[in-house]
Amino acid sequence: MKHKTIRGTIAYTSKKPERFDQERGREFFSITTQADNTLVMQAHCEIDDEPNVIRDVVQAMNADSSPIDCSVRISVGDKYEGSGWIRFTDSYVECETHNQRDGRISQRIELDEKVKWLQSHPIVGDALLMKIYDLSKGPGKTFFPNVMLTSPDHRGATGPLLFKTGFGIRYVGEEQITVKAGTFQARHFQVVDTAGNLPEEHPPYNLWCTADDDYLLLRAAVDGYMKTHYELVEFDIIGGKQASGDEK
């Protein structure tokens, strides 16, 4: 076998006082690293909060997490919301979508530089986003102006459409953490500087991923009005070496 696949489940819970630690959704994912180092992420995401969201994503990336192509299908309130396909080149990005509000839409955006990241909203993808931070700089912050979203909505419940934005990534450092899937050496990151780049500023967002080349999501937490928590509860690996946990 020349490829490696990581499969797992992420639990979505709430940290609001009135529903503390109650389940509010779940995510089933796989990340396949092919022989040419292309990454293919597949994620089925369910958010139970009304109106509920069901999202299915298949996204291909280069080894540095820069996007190659992506398909997204969204249901909101148990009804079809939209679906679309996106393809990236070094000089332009194109998108073909259909959604309930706008009907059929074709987008083509010319690029001055390669897009660093496409945020299609799976939580497991948020950890892969952290690959764009240069660890050789050590702890600190870098602003990335050339990223795109499939939806500017915090729950990813609109579109899909291409939305240009930028934000900062702060690397806090390494620490050991324990989640339901085991104990891991982890890298701690924060997403910052979203004000002015989104229709509504995203609340503070902390994220921990494995301290290895997999950047596997271990835990994430959104503060502010959302107060949401995400945690890796199980995973397995087919081909290649085990991620940095002590449980398997």
Side-chain angles (χ1 to χ4, degrees):
M1 183 182 294
K2 295 183 179 180
H3 64 274
K4 178 177 76 172
T5 297
I6 305 174
R7 302 180 301 189
T9 304
I10 296 170
Y12 298 6
T13 58
S14 176
K15 292 299 182 182
K16 293 181 178 180
E18 67 273 17
R19 54 185 303 201
F20 193 79
D21 280 349
Q22 290 183 15
E23 183 181 33
R24 54 174 294 275
R26 60 217 56 85
E27 180 172 310
F28 308 99
F29 70 86
S30 68
I31 304 168
T32 298
T33 303
Q34 298 179 172
D36 63 355
N37 288 322
T38 298
L39 300 177
V40 180
M41 173 187 71
Q42 300 186 56
H44 173 79
C45 315
E46 302 176 357
I47 302 174
D48 298 337
D49 301 339
E50 294 296 335
N52 71 310
V53 179
I54 299 174
R55 183 190 316 105
D56 289 282
V57 175
V58 179
Q59 182 170 331
M61 295 162 267
N62 296 299
D64 62 359
S65 283
S66 59
I68 299 171
D69 56 60
C70 180
S71 62
V72 181
R73 191 185 194 279
I74 309 167
S75 295
V76 179
D78 291 313
K79 296 181 180 180
Y80 165 79
E81 179 66 22
S83 63
W85 171 83
I86 303 165
R87 186 177 77 95
F88 290 82
T89 74
D90 290 344
S91 57
Y92 68 90
V93 54
E94 58 183 340
C95 177
E96 294 289 335
T97 66
H98 177 276
N99 64 55
Q100 291 283 58
R101 187 190 71 179
D102 302 307
R104 177 67 182 268
I105 296 175
S106 297
Q107 292 175 282
R108 179 180 168 119
I109 299 175
E110 303 299 324
L111 303 174
D112 295 326
E113 60 180 322
K114 183 178 177 180
V115 174
K116 288 280 191 181
W117 173 252
L118 174 68
Q119 176 60 291
S120 54
H121 290 280
I123 298 300
V124 70
D126 292 352
L128 295 175
L129 160 64
M130 302 307 150
K131 282 191 173 188
I132 72 177
Y133 183 88
D134 183 358
L135 290 175
S136 69
K137 296 180 178 180
K141 183 181 73 172
T142 302
F143 186 82
F144 298 93
N146 55 334
V147 298
M148 290 190 175
L149 313 177
T150 59
S151 168
D153 179 74
H154 293 171
R155 302 199 310 162
T158 61
L161 285 171
L162 284 172
F163 183 88
K164 296 176 68 175
T165 189
F167 47 73
I169 294 176
R170 176 179 288 121
Y171 176 46
V172 180
E174 285 198 14
E175 58 188 272
Q176 188 178 85
I177 69 168
T178 298
V179 295
K180 290 182 180 179
T183 298
F184 300 81
Q185 189 66 20
R187 297 183 183 127
H188 180 188
F189 293 92
Q190 298 171 333
V191 178
V192 297
D193 297 335
T194 65
N197 298 297
L198 294 172
E200 181 182 5
E201 182 177 2
H202 197 284
Y205 187 22
N206 284 271
L207 180 149
W208 291 260
C209 63
T210 53
D212 57 21
D213 292 339
D214 290 330
Y215 282 73
L216 177 62
L217 186 285
L218 299 172
R219 185 170 70 203
V222 183
D223 298 329
Y225 80 94
M226 296 180 74
K227 289 185 170 59
T228 52
H229 182 84
Y230 308 92
E231 185 169 326
L232 183 69
V233 297
E234 60 180 0
F235 77 104
D236 62 8
I237 296 178
I238 302 171
K241 295 181 179 180
Q242 169 72 32
S244 318
D246 64 359
E247 72 295 333
K248 289 184 185 260

